[in-house]
Amino acid sequence: MRPMLEIENFVTFADYFRLAPDIEATLSYFGYSYQARRLDLPRTTQAIEWAADLQTRINEVLPYIGLTSEIARREFLIAPIVAELIRRFQVKVKVEFAVNAGHHLRGTLDYFIQGENNFLIVEAKNAEIQRGFTQLAAELVALDQLADDSTPLLFGAVSIGDIWQFGVLNREQRSFTQDLNLYRVPQDLEDLLRVLVAILQEKNAIRIGIA
């Protein structure tokens, strides 16, 4: 099955968001399968008492910020989380990072975070999470083709600021799974951070189960 819109017409990762082809058909085009289910993602067991402080800071500014624009959601909800990960763990973050894995798999990654496991964040425009997942899937396929290590899983998330949703690409099985669980900010911030810390800091602890 091929995408409703021919992949041959797509040039950048942003096209997968803008033109919104079917995600399953898009992955099939590149030789990957797709499924959506609730995942039991890894969570760190280390103390992250700093999560409460970050949650307080976000709560303090929210009453004064209009979150109707993408810039506002990025600056006041996504960026503080990324900045805290840098501060606590010195992970490297590349913003608008250019990647080229071929004619249909190139463009810029919104956030490319490098830790024990690399992690992508797609900022979904106009709060269109599902469109963001098609873009995320294409970006993870590109990373799979470019990576020369043996990391079995590639992780990413689509965020509209106050909602995050994860995706996982299994390189050996050539499959992409969209986690149906939603993480809300600031309500679920500590749980979200526990997942992010496990992915970025605990390479040998990565296990994925079905919730």
Side-chain angles (χ1 to χ4, degrees):
M1 180 179 180
R2 295 171 68 84
M4 296 296 291
L5 295 172
E6 291 295 321
I7 291 294
E8 282 79 0
N9 297 325
F10 287 30
V11 178
T12 69
F13 297 132
D15 289 328
Y16 291 94
F17 184 93
R18 180 175 60 87
L19 299 174
D22 177 76
I23 186 172
E24 185 172 8
T26 299
L27 283 160
S28 178
Y29 179 88
F30 293 110
Y32 296 76
S33 62
Y34 167 79
Q35 58 183 341
R37 60 178 61 185
R38 296 189 182 278
L39 294 178
D40 183 13
L41 292 169
R43 287 168 170 78
T44 187
T45 58
Q46 66 179 272
I48 54 169
E49 64 282 350
W50 47 271
D53 179 62
L54 177 59
Q55 187 173 39
T56 297
R57 283 186 276 130
I58 291 175
N59 276 323
E60 284 176 346
V61 301
L62 281 182
Y64 306 99
I65 302 297
L67 295 177
T68 55
S69 75
E70 297 158 15
I71 294 176
R73 292 192 294 270
R74 178 176 68 241
E75 295 297 323
F76 292 98
L77 290 175
I78 299 176
I81 293 172
V82 174
E84 196 69 20
L85 292 171
I86 296 172
R87 179 172 175 238
R88 298 287 174 176
F89 304 105
Q90 294 77 54
V91 293
K92 294 182 178 179
V93 178
K94 297 180 179 179
V95 181
E96 297 296 320
F97 180 57
V99 166
N100 188 344
H103 180 60
H104 309 304
L105 293 171
R106 65 185 182 186
T108 57
L109 311 177
D110 291 345
Y111 296 89
F112 180 46
I113 307 178
Q114 296 174 292
E116 288 296 325
N117 296 279
N118 295 330
F119 187 75
L120 294 182
I121 301 173
V122 169
E123 180 192 348
K125 308 298 186 290
N126 303 316
E128 292 279 1
I129 288 184
Q130 194 56 43
R131 287 188 177 213
F133 263 97
T134 306
Q135 180 178 339
L136 176 63
E139 292 179 2
L140 288 177
V141 168
L143 288 187
D144 182 24
Q145 297 188 9
L146 291 172
D148 56 3
D149 57 41
S150 58
T151 304
L153 302 173
L154 299 177
F155 293 86
V158 176
S159 177
I160 59 172
D162 56 347
I163 296 176
W164 291 56
Q165 194 172 3
F166 286 82
V168 182
L169 188 143
N170 187 307
R171 302 178 72 187
E172 180 178 352
Q173 298 177 6
R174 294 179 67 84
S175 66
F176 174 84
T177 301
Q178 177 178 347
D179 184 12
L180 293 177
N181 294 304
L182 300 178
Y183 297 78
R184 301 181 184 278
V185 176
Q187 297 95 315
D188 304 324
L189 181 60
E190 181 174 343
D191 197 24
L192 171 65
L193 289 171
R194 288 194 176 280
V195 174
L196 292 173
V197 171
I199 291 171
L200 291 168
Q201 292 294 300
E202 302 172 7
K203 187 168 185 175
N204 296 326
I206 296 300
R207 297 288 186 273
I208 301 295
I210 306 301

